[in-house]
Amino acid sequence: MKQRAIYPGTFDPFTNGHLDVLERALNIFEEVIVVIAENSQKHALFTIEEREIMTREVICDYSGVTVEVLHKGLLADYARQVGARSIVRGVRQVKDFEYEFQMSLLNRQLYPEVTTVFLMPNVKYTYVASSIIKEVAMLGGDVSKFVHPCVLEMMHQKREELNKQ
Ligand code: PNS
């Protein structure tokens, strides 16, 4: 039976690798909520509102997807509130696993009915991480292969904004 899942992340910014994982999730689940949240261990380049705008734009032609922002609180509580029993996470490399394993078990501790589902993106995205995309883009490199045109535009704007400071 197809069900509702949440696909959480900082999405700073939303990349084609994220989109690939989302498309795979849509083959499994009837409804996927992309949840933009803060990671206390990361300092985001884009505000949560900017990330929401770009993510909405990227997914606007997809059905079965909504975008929500988790301003505060635990992801596990959010999943419970919206009746999602699956959390989708993309894993690219073995080094992702330790952190994912910890988060998955913690979320299960907080919400025993929830299961984290790990999906691997297309191999061409295994080295595509938001952190490296941001770094290259902010230094003027071409990242057009890795992000949607609207994300690219927002990254150009951000670069100009930062250069003015
Ligand atoms: O894209 P990221 O940075 O790997 O995503 C991590 C994220 C945002 C999913 C995680 O930090 C999170 O769930 N944040 C919300 C607050 C929370 O529930 N933290 C405890 C996680 S076990």
Side-chain angles (χ1 to χ4, degrees):
M1 196 181 78
K2 287 190 166 185
Q3 294 171 342
R4 170 181 283 181
I6 59 170
Y7 176 30
T10 44
F11 303 118
D12 182 46
F14 198 92
T15 67
N16 290 345
H18 292 132
L19 189 60
D20 181 288
V21 169
L22 177 62
E23 286 172 354
R24 287 169 202 280
L26 286 167
N27 288 333
I28 305 171
F29 301 102
E30 198 165 31
E31 188 192 342
V32 179
I33 308 173
V34 177
V35 184
I36 305 170
E38 299 291 11
N39 181 336
S40 58
Q41 290 165 38
K42 291 181 182 169
H43 177 72
L45 175 67
F46 291 96
T47 65
I48 208 158
E49 291 79 16
E50 289 168 334
R51 286 179 269 151
E52 182 184 9
I53 291 168
M54 71 171 74
T55 309
R56 284 193 191 282
E57 184 78 28
V58 175
I59 61 94
C60 68
D61 291 333
Y62 287 78
S63 57
V65 190
T66 50
V67 176
E68 297 297 338
V69 170
L70 181 66
H71 285 284
K72 59 179 172 106
L74 286 167
L75 188 73
D77 290 339
Y78 178 83
R80 189 190 279 109
Q81 275 162 30
V82 299
R85 289 180 166 223
S86 303
I87 297 175
V88 171
R89 292 286 290 172
V91 282
R92 293 158 302 179
Q93 296 165 17
V94 175
K95 75 175 175 60
D96 292 341
F97 192 71
E98 201 175 329
Y99 167 60
E100 294 299 334
F101 182 73
Q102 195 179 25
M103 229 177 18
S104 158
L105 292 180
L106 257 168
N107 281 326
R108 191 193 286 168
Q109 187 69 36
L110 296 163
Y111 175 25
E113 290 79 17
V114 86
T115 297
T116 302
V117 177
F118 297 111
L119 298 176
M120 281 176 290
N122 186 304
V123 72
K124 69 183 177 189
Y125 297 124
T126 48
Y127 65 100
V128 178
S130 293
S131 53
I132 203 148
I133 298 296
K134 274 187 290 198
E135 185 178 341
V136 173
M138 290 308 115
L139 293 170
D142 178 13
V143 293
S144 55
K145 281 198 187 90
F146 308 116
V147 293
H148 186 279
C150 80
V151 176
L152 195 64
E153 177 55 30
M154 285 182 78
M155 287 208 291
H156 284 156
Q157 285 172 12
K158 184 63 78 180
R159 183 163 180 251
E160 281 176 16
E161 204 180 297
L162 293 177
N163 284 344
K164 276 187 206 145
Q165 285 173 7

